[in-house]
Every structure is written in C-alpha cells, then in structure tokens.
Amino acid sequence: MRKKERRNMLEEIPVLKENLVLEVAEQEKYLIVPRSAWLERVATKLLKQPTERRIKLDEHGYFILSQMDGETSIPEMEERFSRTFGNEDGMSLSRLVRFLQIMDSYSWLQWKRG
C-alpha cells in the first residue's frame, strides 16, 4: 500500500480548473460550475434542471478566486488579501488555506509546484 504523499500547500500554486468560470452579474458574484457527472446530465435532461450550478460568492471568496492566475502563490494571495481586507486578528492565512481546502475537496482546483 502506498503512503499518501504529504504536501505543503504554501509551496504550491492553486489554479481554478478550466471548466469553471467566475461571473459578475448585477453586482452579484458567482462561480459557474457545469453539471458534468452522468447522473447530473440525466437530471438536467429529464427533470429540466439547469446545466450549471451558480454558486454565489461573497467579496472575500471572489477576491481569492480571481487571484488564481497560475502564477500567484498562496503567501502572495494572503498578502494581497490582507492589504485589501485587513488582518486585525492575524487569521487571514488560516482562513485562506481553509477556503482552498474546501474548494479542493470539490475537485475545483488544480495545483502547480511553486
């Protein structure tokens, strides 16, 4: 049995997967996620459901996702985030990492070595 490789997220660069899109519509910010699993595709046809999920983002989530250009590392994102929104409690890095872990749990991110 192979050991699971431990990785340090701070040494990697997160990138949004190609099929995901950020959208701003009427001052609301969304992450557009296509419904591509076979069961979802069947449901969209039979039950006439939307072909994509529109996930509403707050300004923090939108800011973080808009920083994912394939070049920006997590420490750089945290520095920009702190400059923009402040970091009075010193928790911006842990919040950023937790947000990225959640995004990664949905398989919405790709990782590049920094």
Side-chain angles (χ1 to χ4, degrees):
M1 187 179 245
R2 281 177 53 190
K3 267 190 167 178
K4 187 175 181 180
E5 181 182 328
R6 294 181 60 123
R7 71 176 200 219
N8 184 352
M9 288 178 76
L10 299 178
E11 296 174 354
E12 297 185 12
I13 298 172
V15 181
L16 221 80
K17 288 200 173 172
E18 290 180 15
N19 61 343
L20 304 178
V21 178
L22 290 176
E23 180 181 283
V24 179
E26 299 174 17
Q27 297 188 345
E28 298 292 336
K29 297 169 175 101
Y30 297 97
L31 175 65
I32 309 300
V33 180
R35 300 179 80 182
S36 56
W38 73 270
L39 188 56
E40 289 178 320
R41 288 193 314 263
V42 169
T44 59
K45 289 181 179 153
L46 294 178
L47 304 174
K48 302 200 186 322
Q49 293 183 353
T51 59
E52 59 193 23
R53 288 184 280 168
R54 300 173 62 82
I55 300 167
K56 190 174 179 180
L57 299 169
D58 64 0
E59 59 185 287
H60 297 135
Y62 182 78
F63 180 84
I64 292 168
L65 294 179
S66 66
Q67 298 296 308
M68 293 184 190
D69 57 4
E71 303 293 324
T72 307
S73 67
I74 294 175
E76 291 169 337
M77 281 184 199
E78 192 269 334
E79 181 183 323
R80 293 176 187 172
F81 185 86
S82 293
R83 271 188 282 155
T84 305
F85 298 106
N87 187 18
E88 292 80 31
D89 59 0
M91 297 295 292
S92 64
L93 181 60
S94 62
R95 287 189 184 110
L96 171 63
V97 168
R98 183 64 187 138
F99 178 77
L100 294 174
Q101 287 172 335
I102 292 168
M103 295 291 293
D104 193 40
S105 73
Y106 287 107
S107 299
W108 292 343
L109 298 179
Q110 296 173 334
W111 296 91
K112 292 173 47 177
R113 292 278 177 197

